Amino acid sequence: MQTDPGTLVDLDRYPIQDLDDPRTRALGAECRATLKATGVAILPGFVFPTTIATIVAEAEHLGADSHHQDLLGSPYLEIPADHWPADHPRRAQGRSALTAIPYDDLGPDSPLRVLYEWDVLLTFIASALGAGELFRYDDPLGAVNVAVMRDDDELAWHFDQTDFVVSIALQSSRRGGDFECVPMLRTADDERYTDVAATLDGAQPDRVTTVPMTPGTLMFFAGRYSLHRVTPVEGATDRVVALLGYDTQSGTCSSEILRLVRYGRAETRR
Ligand SMILES: O=C(O)CCC(=O)C(=O)O
Ligand SMILES: [Fe+2]
């Protein structure tokens, strides 16, 4: 029998199935306001612990044989153009090492798949982001994926290439693995390279905030304008996060190069 998605999340605390419920309206308004002001909005305890445990078990099982990326890349997630000077942030290189479990590896009953494919969640996220109609990614690998970070894995400082990221914290590492960010460091028309360089050099520690990612938290993050990273994971407990892909346009798919880097393959096995 197909799992009822409504049993996987705390609908008493977050009645997302009813957008007209005054609590849901207030929640959406609060998300939009904090997102605008700070670049991050979090809903702690959104996903039930039992659901989290099932998703983590599946991710750890699949992750044992999945592709592990370990590479140097720029904060702008692109190959730097030749005209940038050698010491420019556009040319900076940081290490990103993690294992990503793609959408098409998740089983048909995977609670994460069930949640991602649930229209109630899609509609609530669209309303909470205030982004108009939202579409799931049309990406057999990246639409929803799980990042497993083991001892010594890390994610370098970067800006995302999408306006927002929706994630679910699944498991924290014992030490390290902190999600650090400099909220709204750049804007659409001001790159603020001096501040980017200062953050990369560790020269502006006061501007860096650590976002609490307690397992079960649903998080909205304005990653295009907020410089962010995940510090190196230490110890035997993996850091596990689910990333849910949405766009204001239909048909979005991550690039072939990103799929190759992240999953070790560009095409679906199905
Ligand atoms: O793992 C995380 O918490 C953030 C991941 C991230 O920043 C990304 O995938 O772009
Ligand atoms: Fe990111």
Side-chain angles (χ1 to χ4, degrees), residues 67 100-102 141-143 145 254 258-265:
H67 170 74
I101 291 135
L141 304 179
N145 65 94
S254 55
L258 188 143
R259 281 177 276 148
L260 276 173
V261 164
R262 195 168 168 91
Y263 309 105
R265 59 187 165 94

Side-chain angles (χ1 to χ4, degrees), residues 155 158 160 179 213 228 230 239 241 243 262:
L155 191 63
H158 67 280
D160 294 333
F179 185 81
M213 295 185 68
H228 57 285
V230 179
R239 177 188 190 272
V241 169
L243 298 152
R262 195 168 168 91

Side-chain angles (χ1 to χ4, degrees), residues 15-65:
I16 62 166
Q17 77 285 19
D18 182 2
L19 293 180
D20 292 327
D21 185 312
R23 288 176 299 161
T24 315
R25 283 200 203 165
L27 179 66
E30 195 188 324
C31 283
R32 286 189 293 282
T34 28
L35 201 55
K36 198 169 168 200
T38 68
V40 190
I42 56 171
L43 277 57
F46 181 78
V47 181
F48 281 135
T50 45
T51 314
I52 297 290
T54 310
I55 302 173
V56 170
E58 183 180 29
E60 295 281 16
H61 173 70
L62 292 168
D65 305 317

Side-chain angles (χ1 to χ4, degrees), residues 88-89 185 191-201 203-204 207:
H88 195 277
L185 191 156
E191 289 283 356
R192 302 200 180 128
Y193 288 127
T194 311
D195 290 331
V196 176
T199 303
L200 300 182
D201 292 343
Q204 291 187 344
R207 293 188 64 184

Side-chain angles (χ1 to χ4, degrees), residues 169-245:
L170 297 170
Q171 180 169 280
S172 305
S173 50
R174 293 290 275 282
R175 278 193 316 280
D178 290 325
F179 185 81
E180 294 187 342
C181 105
V182 180
M184 304 313 223
L185 191 156
R186 69 172 177 177
T187 66
D189 31 47
D190 188 355
E191 289 283 356
R192 302 200 180 128
Y193 288 127
T194 311
D195 290 331
V196 176
T199 303
L200 300 182
D201 292 343
Q204 291 187 344
D206 295 350
R207 293 188 64 184
V208 178
T209 52
T210 300
V211 180
M213 295 185 68
T214 317
T217 301
L218 179 72
M219 173 164 123
F220 304 117
F221 180 61
R224 190 190 287 282
Y225 300 116
S226 303
L227 192 63
H228 57 285
R229 72 165 169 181
V230 179
T231 63
V233 168
E234 295 172 49
T237 307
D238 299 342
R239 177 188 190 272
V240 188
V241 169
L243 298 152
L244 293 75

